[in-house]
Amino acid sequence: MTSAVTTDTSARPGYGQLLRTPGALSFLLPGFAARQPFAMLIIGIVLLVQHTTGSYGDAGIVATVTGVSMALFAPQMGKLADRRGQAAVLIPVVFAHAAAIGALTALALLGAPMWALALAAVPAGASVPQVGPMVRARWAAKLEGSPLLSTAAAWESVTDELTFVVGPVLATFLCTTIHPSAGLIAEASLTLVGGLLFAAQRGTQPKPAPRLASGEKHVSALSVPGLRVLVVAFVGVGAVFGGMLISLTAFSNEIGNPGANGLLYGVFAGGNMIAGIACGTIAWKIGPRRRLILGYVGLTAAASVLWAANSAILMGAIGLVVGLCIAPALITGYTMIEQLVPAAARTEAFTALTGAVALGQAAAVTIAGSLTDAHGSTAGFLVPMVATALALITLLALRSKLAPTAPSRIVNASASASREESNERGIGHRVPVTVD
């Protein structure tokens, strides 16, 4: 059972106040452990497949198939979690993922052909546990109607960035010092252990959607027009991640300093973390729709000049600004889910956004890689520019879809009856729990 949290709205929302939310630490700590492997997966696949095939191109294909598979199946996993409960979905998924990674690792080490590796990448990506969206769904359930929701979204953004800083470093260390397969083995092991620990925290998971009467159907989160607009925006953000990953590597080689790649990407990620931390401490006076559009204008402008950098210092400065602009867009987008999507479909909504980032990243890795091979890093940096520009045009054209939707339009009668029953029993989203 979960309940909303009301806070003193006169107090400035902050991380200390957020972490004192009853029950928060019980799902945050195992949730962080369970989502860490997510950032190890793609780099682990690239390092292993490149080692066994000798081809970065083949490694990129397998990694791309994994990312696309995750993007396609993540919303379905979220939908099942909304209907059946997070634990009921997560427990079998973590076992399936461990088995899929084991199969992919074994095939790579045995020298299997590319078609077999690509085929094995499908279940490996499809079974990636969506722990991050599940954590966000727990925050949304606990903080419904609270000003701390924006702080929680900022906290999750910082956590994601920390994951993507630590995970690749850990996977690379294991693959280069122990064995090329060690990164994926660690990823599967951490997924299994961390996922089971997170699933065990049943007391904080959102209540599953009620059963529907015969003939009624659950409403998908993706049927909400506003969410579809956010998906486009998040695909653009994913393209920035993917385009930067490939193009920065090529750029560092072109300037004769391959080692600068890690530093440059670290500056980019650091900007994202700094902005995320700052967003969580600001008492915003403008609405989320306007914040999203303004943030995306900044992101598009910054991404549009990446191709012009001709030195590591200039690239670092531009990359920092790009990172500073990403966090506000992501945080605001996640925050808007409470206004756009009914509670019974929020896990699906969060997984759709996470999958959109993965889809954008996978597509950008493939396109930027091809452009970089043919024309150098300058062409590769055009991918973030074009992707964010197209997403911004979509945001501006369809911004009316991002207005809060009346619950009666998207929540079925059965769900409404369930909420009324909860109110009568003194439980559910109307029961306040005070946070100091």
Side-chain angles (χ1 to χ4, degrees):
M1 180 192 311
T2 59
S3 55
V5 176
T6 58
T7 61
D8 179 6
T9 56
S10 64
R12 187 168 184 165
Y15 293 113
Q17 189 179 7
L18 178 72
L19 296 178
R20 290 195 297 273
T21 301
L25 293 180
S26 68
F27 66 82
L28 280 183
L29 296 179
F32 179 77
R35 72 210 294 182
Q36 187 64 47
F38 177 72
M40 302 171 63
L41 179 60
I42 297 299
I43 187 65
I45 289 175
V46 169
L47 293 174
L48 175 61
V49 176
Q50 192 279 329
H51 171 79
T52 57
T53 66
S55 170
Y56 280 105
D58 288 347
I61 290 173
V62 178
T64 298
V65 171
T66 303
V68 172
S69 178
M70 192 204 82
L72 294 177
F73 283 89
Q76 307 309 315
M77 191 182 301
K79 185 182 296 186
L80 284 175
D82 283 325
R83 296 180 184 178
R84 307 294 182 185
Q86 293 183 359
V89 173
L90 193 56
I91 291 174
V93 161
V94 295
F95 283 104
H97 183 69
I101 293 298
L104 177 59
T105 302
L107 286 171
L109 293 176
L110 292 173
M114 262 302 297
W115 66 265
L117 295 179
L119 189 63
V122 174
S127 61
V128 173
Q130 298 300 310
V131 176
M134 290 182 181
V135 171
R136 286 183 165 92
R138 295 189 185 211
W139 278 126
K142 277 192 161 292
L143 301 175
E144 187 168 2
S146 166
L148 282 173
L149 259 180
S150 179
T151 306
W155 173 271
E156 290 304 308
S157 179
V158 173
T159 301
D160 284 342
E161 274 309 307
L162 181 61
T163 295
F164 277 96
V165 170
V166 175
V169 173
L170 177 58
T172 301
F173 173 79
L174 293 173
C175 290
T176 56
T177 61
I178 299 178
H179 190 272
S181 64
L184 282 184
I185 292 173
E187 187 273 344
S189 301
L190 286 172
T191 296
L192 185 60
V193 175
L196 292 177
L197 289 174
F198 179 77
Q201 309 304 315
R202 296 174 183 263
T204 55
Q205 70 175 356
K207 188 176 181 180
R211 292 180 178 273
L212 298 181
S214 177
E216 290 185 318
K217 294 182 179 180
H218 280 279
V219 176
S220 170
L222 288 172
S223 67
V224 179
L227 179 62
R228 297 199 295 269
V229 176
L230 290 178
V231 165
V232 174
F234 275 53
V235 168
V237 171
V240 175
F241 285 120
M244 293 284 281
L245 183 66
I246 293 294
S247 302
L248 282 177
T249 301
F251 176 82
S252 299
N253 290 328
E254 290 168 1
I255 63 174
N257 188 5
N261 177 47
L263 177 60
L264 290 173
Y265 199 85
V267 170
F268 163 66
N272 199 348
M273 289 185 65
I274 292 170
I277 293 172
C279 285
T281 61
I282 296 174
W284 295 101
K285 296 183 179 179
I286 60 176
R289 180 170 55 173
R290 186 179 177 188
R291 292 205 308 269
L292 177 62
I293 292 175
L294 290 175
Y296 223 94
V297 168
L299 175 60
T300 303
S304 296
V305 295
L306 284 166
W307 62 271
N310 55 10
S311 69
I313 293 177
L314 183 56
M315 179 59 73
I318 298 174
L320 177 64
V321 176
V322 172
L324 289 171
C325 294
I326 282 181
L330 285 178
I331 291 168
T332 304
Y334 279 123
T335 302
M336 294 176 75
I337 292 299
E338 185 202 16
Q339 298 178 344
L340 296 173
V341 181
R346 282 180 189 158
T347 306
E348 180 192 355
F350 286 126
T351 52
L353 295 185
T354 301
V357 173
L359 181 60
Q361 183 177 21
V365 165
T366 303
I367 297 172
S370 299
L371 290 174
T372 299
D373 285 341
H375 306 290
S377 65
T378 298
F381 282 123
L382 295 178
V383 174
M385 180 184 76
V386 174
T388 52
L390 292 175
L392 177 59
I393 291 172
T394 302
L395 276 176
L396 293 173
L398 302 177
R399 60 187 181 276
S400 63
K401 304 295 183 183
L402 296 174
T405 306
S408 60
R409 296 180 185 175
I410 52 179
V411 181
N412 57 65
S414 178
S416 299
S418 175
R419 286 198 304 275
E420 291 172 3
E421 179 184 355
S422 297
N423 290 336
E424 290 174 0
R425 293 167 53 194
I427 62 176
H429 70 289
R430 295 296 183 184
V431 180
V433 177
T434 302
V435 178
D436 294 332

